[in-house]
Amino acid sequence: MRSVALILAAIAIHASAAECGPDQLNTARTITLKREGALYGAHQHTALPLAKGEVVLTFDDGPSADNTPLVLKALADQCAKATFFLIGEHIAQQPDLARRLIREGHSAGIHSNTHPHLASMTTDQQLEDLKLSRAAYKTAFGVETPAYRFPYLEETPTLLEALKRDNITVASIDMGINDWIPEDTTAILAQRLTESLDKAGRGIILMHDANGPTAQALPTLLKVLKDKGYKVVHLEWEAAQ
C-alpha cells in the first residue's frame, strides 16, 4: 500500500509540474534569506538583490476565508509563489487556511496581531501585540515566524529593537497598488500596478489577500506582470534551528 501511495504521489507531482509551462507566469527563482534581524524594502530600507524586471509578490491582512482561497487559486493557475504577512487573530480564526498557504508552496510571516497603529500604543502594548502574533504563528506552523511587516508600514523603535534581537526580518515594500478602497475595480487596480511597475522596475509588491477587489482582480494583475515581461521571485527563509 505504501508503494502505491508513493507512486500516486509522484504522478500527482508530475501532473502538477506539467501544468506549469510558458503560458503561465511561473516562479523564476527563489531567494532563501537567513533568519536574522535584517530590513528589506526600498520604501524604507535596503532593496532586495533583484534584477530589473524581477518582483516579489506579497499579501497582507489574511488569512481571509472569503478571499484568500481566490488568491491561492489565481497564484496556482499561474504557478506563482508569494509571501503572506498574516494577522495573528486571523491565523487563530483560520489556522487550516493559514497552513494551506505553506502546503501550496508559499511562505508566511506576521503582520501584527490586530493591525493597530503601533505608535499610538505604549511600549508594553506594542510588545504584547508582537508576543500574541508570534504565538498565533507558532501554534499554527510549529515554528517561530521568520519575518514581520509593520501594519500601515508604521515602524516603531520598540518593535524594531525587539525584532532585531530575536532575528526576525522586517519586510517593507518597494511598491503597492493602494488596494484597500472598496470601490476599486479590476481595471483601476491593473492601472495602479502598471504605473507602479513602470516607476520602480523591480521590487516587493504589496497587495492584500483580505481585500475582495484584489482577490477578484488577481488573475488580471498576474497577466499584467506576464504581459510586461516581469519575473516572479519567491522569498523563503532558512529553516528554524
Side-chain angles (χ1 to χ4, degrees):
M1 291 296 293
R2 184 172 183 273
S3 61
V4 172
L6 290 174
I7 291 170
L8 291 174
I11 292 172
I13 291 170
H14 177 75
S16 177
E19 294 171 0
C20 296
D23 291 337
Q24 279 81 24
L25 176 61
N26 293 301
T27 302
R29 66 186 181 101
T30 297
I31 296 176
T32 302
L33 298 173
K34 294 180 179 179
R35 282 183 173 257
E36 60 181 358
L39 305 100
Y40 291 110
H43 181 72
Q44 293 167 294
H45 303 293
T46 301
L48 282 168
L50 300 174
K52 184 174 177 59
E54 289 188 330
V55 294
V56 174
L57 306 177
T58 70
F59 294 90
D60 285 7
D61 295 358
S64 160
D66 292 333
N67 299 309
T68 302
L70 297 177
V71 169
L72 290 174
K73 183 181 186 306
L75 292 170
D77 286 346
Q78 290 299 320
C79 301
K81 302 303 181 188
T83 302
F84 291 79
F85 291 94
L86 309 173
I87 293 175
E89 286 191 343
H90 294 177
I91 297 173
Q93 293 162 2
Q94 301 284 338
D96 290 339
L97 182 54
R99 286 188 285 267
R100 178 181 164 189
L101 304 174
I102 305 301
R103 288 199 306 270
E104 296 191 10
H106 305 289
S107 53
I110 52 177
H111 189 45
S112 80
N113 196 55
T114 59
H115 208 285
H117 288 283
L118 291 163
S120 69
M121 301 166 68
T122 66
T123 295
D124 288 345
Q125 288 171 334
Q126 291 180 49
L127 293 173
E128 181 66 10
D129 185 271
L130 175 61
K131 177 183 176 182
L132 291 172
S133 61
R134 291 179 63 179
Y137 188 100
K138 189 166 187 179
T139 296
F141 301 115
V143 296
E144 287 285 351
T145 183
Y148 183 95
R149 176 172 283 159
F150 280 85
Y152 308 103
L153 301 180
E154 294 174 352
E155 298 181 351
T156 68
T158 295
L159 289 197
L160 284 171
E161 180 181 353
L163 294 166
K164 182 177 181 180
R165 180 191 65 231
D166 292 338
N167 293 318
I168 299 173
T169 297
V170 173
S172 185
I173 69 169
D174 295 281
M175 65 185 103
I177 58 173
N178 296 333
D179 58 328
W180 51 78
I181 302 170
E183 293 75 24
D184 279 343
T185 65
T186 293
I188 288 172
L189 293 174
Q191 180 60 32
R192 289 192 196 135
L193 175 61
T194 297
E195 291 170 355
S196 291
L197 292 169
D198 290 345
K199 182 178 179 180
R202 76 191 79 185
I204 304 168
I205 303 175
L206 167 62
M207 295 176 282
H208 295 80
D209 61 306
N211 186 44
T214 303
Q216 296 291 338
L218 191 58
T220 298
L221 301 180
L222 298 177
K223 186 176 186 301
V224 168
L225 291 172
K226 180 169 175 53
D227 290 349
K228 291 178 72 65
Y230 278 83
K231 306 295 184 184
V232 172
V233 175
H234 185 214
L235 287 188
E236 292 184 347
W237 280 265
E238 293 177 342
Q241 298 298 315

